[in-house]
Amino acid sequence: CGSAAAHDGVNRMTKALLERDGVNWRKKLPPIPTVPIAARKRWSAPPAGAPAATPPGNTLQREPGESPSPATPAWYQTAAGIERARTLKEEGNELVKKGNHKTGIEKCSESLKLNQEYATYTNRALCYLALKQHKEAVQDCTEALRLDPGNVKAFYRCAQALKELKDYKSSIADINSLLKTEPKNTAALRLLQELNRA
């Protein structure tokens, strides 16, 4: 869950499947192979160092449909919750492609309640930018960068929002951080030129 490379791979594959098979791409996937019970027990065990027992009144179980609390350990997030979060994120992406940014924000927000993922924050930031909610866009980009400190989209969208908020110094700092990773990023270079003229 915490691997940025794994998230990137999943996002690329999901995008490719959406382009190839449309929104019903899941129905066209082959069945999931059966996992032996011994392996399932090994994978579902909490990681070393996680508390073996939880004191009464401090249980990790939640009601159906309830979001995990910030205190819930990452290893407790269920595969179903993460899959639901991914579905909501994809639905949000489809809405954004159609120009429905307000509902896109709602889908991203629902997804983030289930699984905090940097790509969902950058997607929601894009919606906030489209709706001229620049402070919210900066907050989401900040969260995305907390999860993935080198995220190019987060730097770029934050710089865009900061420019609109007339915080040119911070906007230039974000563009410079982006250019350390991608020195030939034409959109970033163009924005930097605009900022230097402002």
Side-chain angles (χ1 to χ4, degrees):
C1 292
S3 168
H7 283 291
D8 287 342
V10 168
N11 290 337
R12 282 193 305 276
M13 184 57 64
T14 302
K15 184 178 178 185
L17 288 167
L18 269 168
E19 288 170 0
R20 190 186 77 187
D21 298 328
V23 293
N24 294 322
W25 63 269
R26 278 191 185 78
K27 294 177 183 170
K28 297 179 181 179
L29 291 177
I32 297 172
T34 305
V35 178
I37 291 174
R40 277 189 254 164
K41 286 180 183 173
R42 189 171 62 243
W43 292 336
S44 64
T54 308
N58 192 16
T59 178
L60 293 175
Q61 294 179 345
R62 356 182 250 277
E63 297 300 316
E66 180 186 353
S67 299
S69 73
T72 302
W75 56 262
Y76 187 72
Q77 291 182 343
T78 64
I82 291 169
E83 180 60 28
R84 176 73 182 134
R86 189 174 296 128
T87 300
L88 287 163
K89 182 178 79 169
E90 289 164 14
E91 289 172 7
N93 290 346
E94 290 301 311
L95 289 162
V96 171
K97 288 176 188 174
K98 294 174 183 172
N100 192 344
H101 297 100
K102 190 174 180 180
T103 310
I105 288 171
E106 292 170 9
K107 293 289 182 182
C108 288
S109 298
E110 287 180 56
S111 175
L112 288 166
K113 287 177 186 174
L114 297 169
N115 185 31
Q116 291 194 357
E117 184 184 30
Y118 69 88
T120 311
Y121 278 112
T122 58
N123 292 349
R124 190 168 71 174
L126 176 66
C127 294
Y128 282 135
L129 281 169
L131 297 172
K132 302 196 182 312
Q133 294 177 255
H134 301 111
K135 288 180 183 176
E136 291 84 352
V138 170
Q139 289 171 350
D140 275 4
C141 291
T142 302
E143 283 301 308
L145 289 166
R146 182 182 59 80
L147 296 168
D148 179 20
N151 189 286
V152 171
K153 284 183 181 178
F155 278 126
Y156 183 73
R157 290 176 184 166
C158 194
Q160 288 178 301
L162 289 165
K163 177 187 171 213
E164 296 302 319
L165 293 168
K166 303 202 183 318
D167 185 352
Y168 302 121
K169 187 177 178 180
S170 298
S171 184
I172 289 170
D174 279 348
I175 287 295
N176 287 331
S177 295
L178 183 160
L179 290 170
K180 286 177 188 172
T181 306
E182 287 187 12
K184 296 182 181 181
N185 185 309
T186 54
L189 290 168
R190 197 175 317 117
L191 182 56
L192 184 58
Q193 286 177 344
E194 291 173 23
L195 288 162
N196 284 329
R197 286 194 298 262

